[in-house]
Amino acid sequence: MAEKLKVHEADFDSTVKQKKKGKRRGRILALVIVLAGVAAGFYFCASKLFFVKSVLIKDVTEESKFVAAFPYTEEEMLQGMKLEKNSGLYDFTAAEAEKNARINLPYIKEIDVSRRWPSTVVAKTVLEVPTYYVIVDNDFYILSDEIKVLERTESSEKIELNSLIRLDYKTVHSCIVGEKLGISEDIQKIIFDIEAQLVENGVKNEVTSIDVSDKFNLSITYGTKYIVKLGDSKSLSTKLEFMKRIIEDRVGDVVGGVIDVSDEKNREAIYKKFN
């Protein structure tokens, strides 16, 4: 009898626990439903009450890298994100707007889109840095440091304002705004290597052109006075050191010349003054 009583008590306790668990589950489910309803109601109300009226652009690009004014107007930013004024503030996703901006606005390197009540789209941006320019069919094209084509322009002032470096090349397969310049990968690498060494040697701001028409006979133009023959892309750092020494020895010269540092084997640098 005692054993049967214990079994009944255990069954009773188990039943009570299950009922309590069931009640807890019911409460949790009810709470989830209520919260979902509140969220849905809030979204519905927000979509009907809040509308896009303006774009607040927060550009966090380093000032030393991008010296010009922000390249897009508020209207262009809206169009690039594929948003319309007076459309619902919650009728789009941030990820969707960010993707559209990166596709349609070439200067946009990174973008973070958010909302600010009651009617503002906030766009936090990092811009591509204008570094080079090329001439294709007599048109100027501005390129980023990664040779992405940023825009076609007829303004020589933009070239001067950004202190852009002219790229001279033998063959270009394509030059489409928003895409990389269509040149071979080995030439791309040479351009990146030269830029890295110019930065390391502190002379990038002095260089006005880079000629990669022949990868075994590379050259750069230093300011308006010196043409520097580099030969191939080996030992660029050493070659630029020789170049700097020659230029430093000729501070004050009115007439420039040709500096040939291509002979890396004999570690020779030859200077010929312009006639």
PDB file of all heavy atoms in Angstrom, residues 205-233:
ATOM      1  N   ASN A 205      53.508  63.362 -54.040  1.00  0.00           N
ATOM      2  CA  ASN A 205      52.894  64.655 -54.372  1.00  0.00           C
ATOM      3  C   ASN A 205      53.688  65.440 -55.414  1.00  0.00           C
ATOM      4  O   ASN A 205      53.190  66.416 -55.971  1.00  0.00           O
ATOM      5  CB  ASN A 205      52.729  65.504 -53.120  1.00  0.00           C
ATOM      6  CG  ASN A 205      51.684  64.935 -52.181  1.00  0.00           C
ATOM      7  OD1 ASN A 205      50.829  64.158 -52.592  1.00  0.00           O
ATOM      8  ND2 ASN A 205      51.752  65.309 -50.908  1.00  0.00           N
ATOM      9  N   GLU A 206      54.934  65.025 -55.666  1.00  0.00           N
ATOM     10  CA  GLU A 206      55.763  65.711 -56.643  1.00  0.00           C
ATOM     11  C   GLU A 206      55.630  65.120 -58.045  1.00  0.00           C
ATOM     12  O   GLU A 206      56.030  65.750 -59.029  1.00  0.00           O
ATOM     13  CB  GLU A 206      57.242  65.646 -56.221  1.00  0.00           C
ATOM     14  CG  GLU A 206      57.532  66.158 -54.828  1.00  0.00           C
ATOM     15  CD  GLU A 206      57.158  67.611 -54.652  1.00  0.00           C
ATOM     16  OE1 GLU A 206      57.274  68.375 -55.643  1.00  0.00           O
ATOM     17  OE2 GLU A 206      56.748  67.998 -53.545  1.00  0.00           O
ATOM     18  N   VAL A 207      55.082  63.916 -58.130  1.00  0.00           N
ATOM     19  CA  VAL A 207      55.023  63.206 -59.411  1.00  0.00           C
ATOM     20  C   VAL A 207      53.757  63.589 -60.159  1.00  0.00           C
ATOM     21  O   VAL A 207      52.654  63.552 -59.615  1.00  0.00           O
ATOM     22  CB  VAL A 207      55.084  61.679 -59.194  1.00  0.00           C
ATOM     23  CG1 VAL A 207      54.826  60.925 -60.492  1.00  0.00           C
ATOM     24  CG2 VAL A 207      56.451  61.295 -58.626  1.00  0.00           C
ATOM     25  N   THR A 208      53.914  63.959 -61.433  1.00  0.00           N
ATOM     26  CA  THR A 208      52.769  64.408 -62.230  1.00  0.00           C
ATOM     27  C   THR A 208      52.326  63.386 -63.271  1.00  0.00           C
ATOM     28  O   THR A 208      51.220  63.489 -63.797  1.00  0.00           O
ATOM     29  CB  THR A 208      53.098  65.735 -62.935  1.00  0.00           C
ATOM     30  OG1 THR A 208      54.306  65.583 -63.690  1.00  0.00           O
ATOM     31  CG2 THR A 208      53.278  66.849 -61.911  1.00  0.00           C
ATOM     32  N   SER A 209      53.186  62.405 -63.587  1.00  0.00           N
ATOM     33  CA  SER A 209      52.763  61.369 -64.524  1.00  0.00           C
ATOM     34  C   SER A 209      53.568  60.085 -64.325  1.00  0.00           C
ATOM     35  O   SER A 209      54.709  60.122 -63.840  1.00  0.00           O
ATOM     36  CB  SER A 209      52.899  61.841 -65.981  1.00  0.00           C
ATOM     37  OG  SER A 209      54.250  61.890 -66.372  1.00  0.00           O
ATOM     38  N   ILE A 210      52.937  58.976 -64.691  1.00  0.00           N
ATOM     39  CA  ILE A 210      53.588  57.664 -64.676  1.00  0.00           C
ATOM     40  C   ILE A 210      53.346  57.029 -66.037  1.00  0.00           C
ATOM     41  O   ILE A 210      52.197  56.920 -66.481  1.00  0.00           O
ATOM     42  CB  ILE A 210      53.004  56.753 -63.572  1.00  0.00           C
ATOM     43  CG1 ILE A 210      53.243  57.362 -62.182  1.00  0.00           C
ATOM     44  CG2 ILE A 210      53.605  55.348 -63.645  1.00  0.00           C
ATOM     45  CD1 ILE A 210      52.559  56.583 -61.055  1.00  0.00           C
ATOM     46  N   ASP A 211      54.410  56.618 -66.686  1.00  0.00           N
ATOM     47  CA  ASP A 211      54.302  56.010 -68.010  1.00  0.00           C
ATOM     48  C   ASP A 211      54.577  54.509 -67.900  1.00  0.00           C
ATOM     49  O   ASP A 211      55.696  54.102 -67.577  1.00  0.00           O
ATOM     50  CB  ASP A 211      55.294  56.660 -68.980  1.00  0.00           C
ATOM     51  CG  ASP A 211      55.045  56.235 -70.436  1.00  0.00           C
ATOM     52  OD1 ASP A 211      54.433  55.170 -70.651  1.00  0.00           O
ATOM     53  OD2 ASP A 211      55.470  56.977 -71.339  1.00  0.00           O
ATOM     54  N   VAL A 212      53.527  53.706 -68.144  1.00  0.00           N
ATOM     55  CA  VAL A 212      53.662  52.247 -68.088  1.00  0.00           C
ATOM     56  C   VAL A 212      53.409  51.640 -69.472  1.00  0.00           C
ATOM     57  O   VAL A 212      53.005  50.482 -69.587  1.00  0.00           O
ATOM     58  CB  VAL A 212      52.700  51.637 -67.036  1.00  0.00           C
ATOM     59  CG1 VAL A 212      53.118  51.996 -65.637  1.00  0.00           C
ATOM     60  CG2 VAL A 212      51.245  52.080 -67.294  1.00  0.00           C
ATOM     61  N   SER A 213      53.675  52.418 -70.515  1.00  0.00           N
ATOM     62  CA  SER A 213      53.447  51.938 -71.880  1.00  0.00           C
ATOM     63  C   SER A 213      54.305  50.717 -72.186  1.00  0.00           C
ATOM     64  O   SER A 213      53.890  49.814 -72.917  1.00  0.00           O
ATOM     65  CB  SER A 213      53.771  53.044 -72.893  1.00  0.00           C
ATOM     66  OG  SER A 213      52.973  54.175 -72.661  1.00  0.00           O
ATOM     67  N   ASP A 214      55.512  50.697 -71.627  1.00  0.00           N
ATOM     68  CA  ASP A 214      56.429  49.563 -71.782  1.00  0.00           C
ATOM     69  C   ASP A 214      56.889  49.164 -70.389  1.00  0.00           C
ATOM     70  O   ASP A 214      57.594  49.924 -69.715  1.00  0.00           O
ATOM     71  CB  ASP A 214      57.616  49.979 -72.661  1.00  0.00           C
ATOM     72  CG  ASP A 214      58.599  48.839 -72.909  1.00  0.00           C
ATOM     73  OD1 ASP A 214      58.506  47.804 -72.209  1.00  0.00           O
ATOM     74  OD2 ASP A 214      59.461  48.988 -73.789  1.00  0.00           O
ATOM     75  N   LYS A 215      56.501  47.975 -69.951  1.00  0.00           N
ATOM     76  CA  LYS A 215      56.799  47.582 -68.565  1.00  0.00           C
ATOM     77  C   LYS A 215      58.286  47.364 -68.303  1.00  0.00           C
ATOM     78  O   LYS A 215      58.699  47.222 -67.148  1.00  0.00           O
ATOM     79  CB  LYS A 215      56.000  46.344 -68.182  1.00  0.00           C
ATOM     80  CG  LYS A 215      56.335  45.085 -68.956  1.00  0.00           C
ATOM     81  CD  LYS A 215      55.423  43.956 -68.496  1.00  0.00           C
ATOM     82  CE  LYS A 215      55.702  42.670 -69.265  1.00  0.00           C
ATOM     83  NZ  LYS A 215      54.789  41.574 -68.828  1.00  0.00           N
ATOM     84  N   PHE A 216      59.106  47.351 -69.384  1.00  0.00           N
ATOM     85  CA  PHE A 216      60.553  47.223 -69.204  1.00  0.00           C
ATOM     86  C   PHE A 216      61.249  48.580 -69.324  1.00  0.00           C
ATOM     87  O   PHE A 216      62.456  48.686 -69.115  1.00  0.00           O
ATOM     88  CB  PHE A 216      61.134  46.245 -70.234  1.00  0.00           C
ATOM     89  CG  PHE A 216      60.568  44.858 -70.107  1.00  0.00           C
ATOM     90  CD1 PHE A 216      59.689  44.365 -71.060  1.00  0.00           C
ATOM     91  CD2 PHE A 216      60.898  44.058 -69.026  1.00  0.00           C
ATOM     92  CE1 PHE A 216      59.154  43.087 -70.944  1.00  0.00           C
ATOM     93  CE2 PHE A 216      60.362  42.776 -68.891  1.00  0.00           C
ATOM     94  CZ  PHE A 216      59.487  42.289 -69.843  1.00  0.00           C
ATOM     95  N   ASN A 217      60.482  49.602 -69.663  1.00  0.00           N
ATOM     96  CA  ASN A 217      61.025  50.959 -69.772  1.00  0.00           C
ATOM     97  C   ASN A 217      60.051  51.941 -69.129  1.00  0.00           C
ATOM     98  O   ASN A 217      59.497  52.824 -69.802  1.00  0.00           O
ATOM     99  CB  ASN A 217      61.272  51.323 -71.247  1.00  0.00           C
ATOM    100  CG  ASN A 217      62.405  50.527 -71.856  1.00  0.00           C
ATOM    101  OD1 ASN A 217      63.570  50.735 -71.509  1.00  0.00           O
ATOM    102  ND2 ASN A 217      62.075  49.617 -72.747  1.00  0.00           N
ATOM    103  N   LEU A 218      59.847  51.779 -67.857  1.00  0.00           N
ATOM    104  CA  LEU A 218      58.937  52.638 -67.102  1.00  0.00           C
ATOM    105  C   LEU A 218      59.579  54.004 -66.878  1.00  0.00           C
ATOM    106  O   LEU A 218      60.809  54.123 -66.816  1.00  0.00           O
ATOM    107  CB  LEU A 218      58.623  52.005 -65.745  1.00  0.00           C
ATOM    108  CG  LEU A 218      58.098  50.567 -65.762  1.00  0.00           C
ATOM    109  CD1 LEU A 218      58.121  49.978 -64.355  1.00  0.00           C
ATOM    110  CD2 LEU A 218      56.700  50.508 -66.351  1.00  0.00           C
ATOM    111  N   SER A 219      58.727  55.012 -66.725  1.00  0.00           N
ATOM    112  CA  SER A 219      59.258  56.334 -66.404  1.00  0.00           C
ATOM    113  C   SER A 219      58.220  57.144 -65.636  1.00  0.00           C
ATOM    114  O   SER A 219      57.018  56.845 -65.686  1.00  0.00           O
ATOM    115  CB  SER A 219      59.672  57.088 -67.673  1.00  0.00           C
ATOM    116  OG  SER A 219      58.534  57.395 -68.461  1.00  0.00           O
ATOM    117  N   ILE A 220      58.688  58.150 -64.926  1.00  0.00           N
ATOM    118  CA  ILE A 220      57.801  59.070 -64.221  1.00  0.00           C
ATOM    119  C   ILE A 220      58.256  60.499 -64.526  1.00  0.00           C
ATOM    120  O   ILE A 220      59.402  60.730 -64.906  1.00  0.00           O
ATOM    121  CB  ILE A 220      57.802  58.846 -62.694  1.00  0.00           C
ATOM    122  CG1 ILE A 220      59.194  59.076 -62.107  1.00  0.00           C
ATOM    123  CG2 ILE A 220      57.287  57.461 -62.355  1.00  0.00           C
ATOM    124  CD1 ILE A 220      59.246  58.965 -60.586  1.00  0.00           C
ATOM    125  N   THR A 221      57.330  61.426 -64.377  1.00  0.00           N
ATOM    126  CA  THR A 221      57.673  62.842 -64.501  1.00  0.00           C
ATOM    127  C   THR A 221      57.623  63.456 -63.113  1.00  0.00           C
ATOM    128  O   THR A 221      56.615  63.346 -62.411  1.00  0.00           O
ATOM    129  CB  THR A 221      56.693  63.582 -65.428  1.00  0.00           C
ATOM    130  OG1 THR A 221      56.687  62.942 -66.700  1.00  0.00           O
ATOM    131  CG2 THR A 221      57.114  65.034 -65.601  1.00  0.00           C
ATOM    132  N   TYR A 222      58.739  64.074 -62.707  1.00  0.00           N
ATOM    133  CA  TYR A 222      58.848  64.675 -61.387  1.00  0.00           C
ATOM    134  C   TYR A 222      58.637  66.178 -61.549  1.00  0.00           C
ATOM    135  O   TYR A 222      59.486  66.875 -62.107  1.00  0.00           O
ATOM    136  CB  TYR A 222      60.223  64.368 -60.805  1.00  0.00           C
ATOM    137  CG  TYR A 222      60.401  64.754 -59.352  1.00  0.00           C
ATOM    138  CD1 TYR A 222      60.272  63.813 -58.340  1.00  0.00           C
ATOM    139  CD2 TYR A 222      60.724  66.068 -58.994  1.00  0.00           C
ATOM    140  CE1 TYR A 222      60.453  64.162 -57.014  1.00  0.00           C
ATOM    141  CE2 TYR A 222      60.905  66.425 -57.673  1.00  0.00           C
ATOM    142  CZ  TYR A 222      60.763  65.470 -56.689  1.00  0.00           C
ATOM    143  OH  TYR A 222      60.941  65.804 -55.370  1.00  0.00           O
ATOM    144  N   GLY A 223      57.471  66.653 -61.070  1.00  0.00           N
ATOM    145  CA  GLY A 223      57.135  68.061 -61.253  1.00  0.00           C
ATOM    146  C   GLY A 223      57.041  68.390 -62.730  1.00  0.00           C
ATOM    147  O   GLY A 223      56.474  67.637 -63.518  1.00  0.00           O
ATOM    148  N   THR A 224      57.642  69.497 -63.115  1.00  0.00           N
ATOM    149  CA  THR A 224      57.669  69.887 -64.536  1.00  0.00           C
ATOM    150  C   THR A 224      59.106  69.938 -65.055  1.00  0.00           C
ATOM    151  O   THR A 224      59.339  70.342 -66.196  1.00  0.00           O
ATOM    152  CB  THR A 224      57.023  71.277 -64.709  1.00  0.00           C
ATOM    153  OG1 THR A 224      57.725  72.225 -63.887  1.00  0.00           O
ATOM    154  CG2 THR A 224      55.561  71.240 -64.323  1.00  0.00           C
ATOM    155  N   LYS A 225      60.061  69.477 -64.248  1.00  0.00           N
ATOM    156  CA  LYS A 225      61.469  69.655 -64.608  1.00  0.00           C
ATOM    157  C   LYS A 225      62.208  68.371 -64.963  1.00  0.00           C
ATOM    158  O   LYS A 225      63.174  68.407 -65.733  1.00  0.00           O
ATOM    159  CB  LYS A 225      62.210  70.340 -63.457  1.00  0.00           C
ATOM    160  CG  LYS A 225      61.860  71.798 -63.266  1.00  0.00           C
ATOM    161  CD  LYS A 225      62.527  72.383 -62.035  1.00  0.00           C
ATOM    162  CE  LYS A 225      64.041  72.323 -62.130  1.00  0.00           C
ATOM    163  NZ  LYS A 225      64.684  72.978 -60.969  1.00  0.00           N
ATOM    164  N   TYR A 226      61.750  67.244 -64.419  1.00  0.00           N
ATOM    165  CA  TYR A 226      62.552  66.028 -64.587  1.00  0.00           C
ATOM    166  C   TYR A 226      61.735  64.859 -65.138  1.00  0.00           C
ATOM    167  O   TYR A 226      60.623  64.596 -64.685  1.00  0.00           O
ATOM    168  CB  TYR A 226      63.154  65.597 -63.245  1.00  0.00           C
ATOM    169  CG  TYR A 226      64.052  66.625 -62.620  1.00  0.00           C
ATOM    170  CD1 TYR A 226      63.588  67.413 -61.563  1.00  0.00           C
ATOM    171  CD2 TYR A 226      65.350  66.839 -63.086  1.00  0.00           C
ATOM    172  CE1 TYR A 226      64.411  68.377 -60.986  1.00  0.00           C
ATOM    173  CE2 TYR A 226      66.168  67.804 -62.521  1.00  0.00           C
ATOM    174  CZ  TYR A 226      65.694  68.561 -61.466  1.00  0.00           C
ATOM    175  OH  TYR A 226      66.500  69.521 -60.898  1.00  0.00           O
ATOM    176  N   ILE A 227      62.329  64.194 -66.126  1.00  0.00           N
ATOM    177  CA  ILE A 227      61.814  62.900 -66.576  1.00  0.00           C
ATOM    178  C   ILE A 227      62.745  61.842 -66.002  1.00  0.00           C
ATOM    179  O   ILE A 227      63.976  61.927 -66.180  1.00  0.00           O
ATOM    180  CB  ILE A 227      61.794  62.815 -68.116  1.00  0.00           C
ATOM    181  CG1 ILE A 227      60.801  63.838 -68.686  1.00  0.00           C
ATOM    182  CG2 ILE A 227      61.412  61.403 -68.567  1.00  0.00           C
ATOM    183  CD1 ILE A 227      60.848  63.944 -70.207  1.00  0.00           C
ATOM    184  N   VAL A 228      62.159  60.872 -65.308  1.00  0.00           N
ATOM    185  CA  VAL A 228      62.970  59.865 -64.619  1.00  0.00           C
ATOM    186  C   VAL A 228      62.737  58.502 -65.256  1.00  0.00           C
ATOM    187  O   VAL A 228      61.620  57.976 -65.244  1.00  0.00           O
ATOM    188  CB  VAL A 228      62.617  59.796 -63.115  1.00  0.00           C
ATOM    189  CG1 VAL A 228      63.554  58.820 -62.395  1.00  0.00           C
ATOM    190  CG2 VAL A 228      62.692  61.183 -62.482  1.00  0.00           C
ATOM    191  N   LYS A 229      63.802  57.928 -65.832  1.00  0.00           N
ATOM    192  CA  LYS A 229      63.721  56.608 -66.448  1.00  0.00           C
ATOM    193  C   LYS A 229      64.010  55.545 -65.390  1.00  0.00           C
ATOM    194  O   LYS A 229      65.094  55.533 -64.800  1.00  0.00           O
ATOM    195  CB  LYS A 229      64.718  56.505 -67.602  1.00  0.00           C
ATOM    196  CG  LYS A 229      64.413  57.442 -68.765  1.00  0.00           C
ATOM    197  CD  LYS A 229      65.408  57.246 -69.898  1.00  0.00           C
ATOM    198  CE  LYS A 229      65.063  58.122 -71.095  1.00  0.00           C
ATOM    199  NZ  LYS A 229      66.011  57.927 -72.222  1.00  0.00           N
ATOM    200  N   LEU A 230      63.032  54.659 -65.192  1.00  0.00           N
ATOM    201  CA  LEU A 230      63.147  53.635 -64.145  1.00  0.00           C
ATOM    202  C   LEU A 230      63.559  52.263 -64.676  1.00  0.00           C
ATOM    203  O   LEU A 230      63.941  51.394 -63.897  1.00  0.00           O
ATOM    204  CB  LEU A 230      61.808  53.491 -63.406  1.00  0.00           C
ATOM    205  CG  LEU A 230      61.281  54.730 -62.689  1.00  0.00           C
ATOM    206  CD1 LEU A 230      59.868  54.461 -62.167  1.00  0.00           C
ATOM    207  CD2 LEU A 230      62.200  55.123 -61.537  1.00  0.00           C
ATOM    208  N   GLY A 231      63.449  52.049 -65.979  1.00  0.00           N
ATOM    209  CA  GLY A 231      63.677  50.703 -66.505  1.00  0.00           C
ATOM    210  C   GLY A 231      62.508  49.806 -66.142  1.00  0.00           C
ATOM    211  O   GLY A 231      61.347  50.198 -66.268  1.00  0.00           O
ATOM    212  N   ASP A 232      62.784  48.607 -65.623  1.00  0.00           N
ATOM    213  CA  ASP A 232      61.700  47.712 -65.204  1.00  0.00           C
ATOM    214  C   ASP A 232      61.288  48.030 -63.767  1.00  0.00           C
ATOM    215  O   ASP A 232      61.768  49.010 -63.171  1.00  0.00           O
ATOM    216  CB  ASP A 232      62.104  46.238 -65.370  1.00  0.00           C
ATOM    217  CG  ASP A 232      63.351  45.878 -64.565  1.00  0.00           C
ATOM    218  OD1 ASP A 232      63.614  46.542 -63.539  1.00  0.00           O
ATOM    219  OD2 ASP A 232      64.058  44.933 -64.960  1.00  0.00           O
ATOM    220  N   SER A 233      60.434  47.182 -63.203  1.00  0.00           N
ATOM    221  CA  SER A 233      59.880  47.480 -61.869  1.00  0.00           C
ATOM    222  C   SER A 233      60.692  46.882 -60.723  1.00  0.00           C
ATOM    223  O   SER A 233      60.244  46.896 -59.576  1.00  0.00           O
ATOM    224  CB  SER A 233      58.432  46.971 -61.789  1.00  0.00           C
ATOM    225  OG  SER A 233      58.373  45.581 -62.048  1.00  0.00           O
TER     226      SER A 233
END
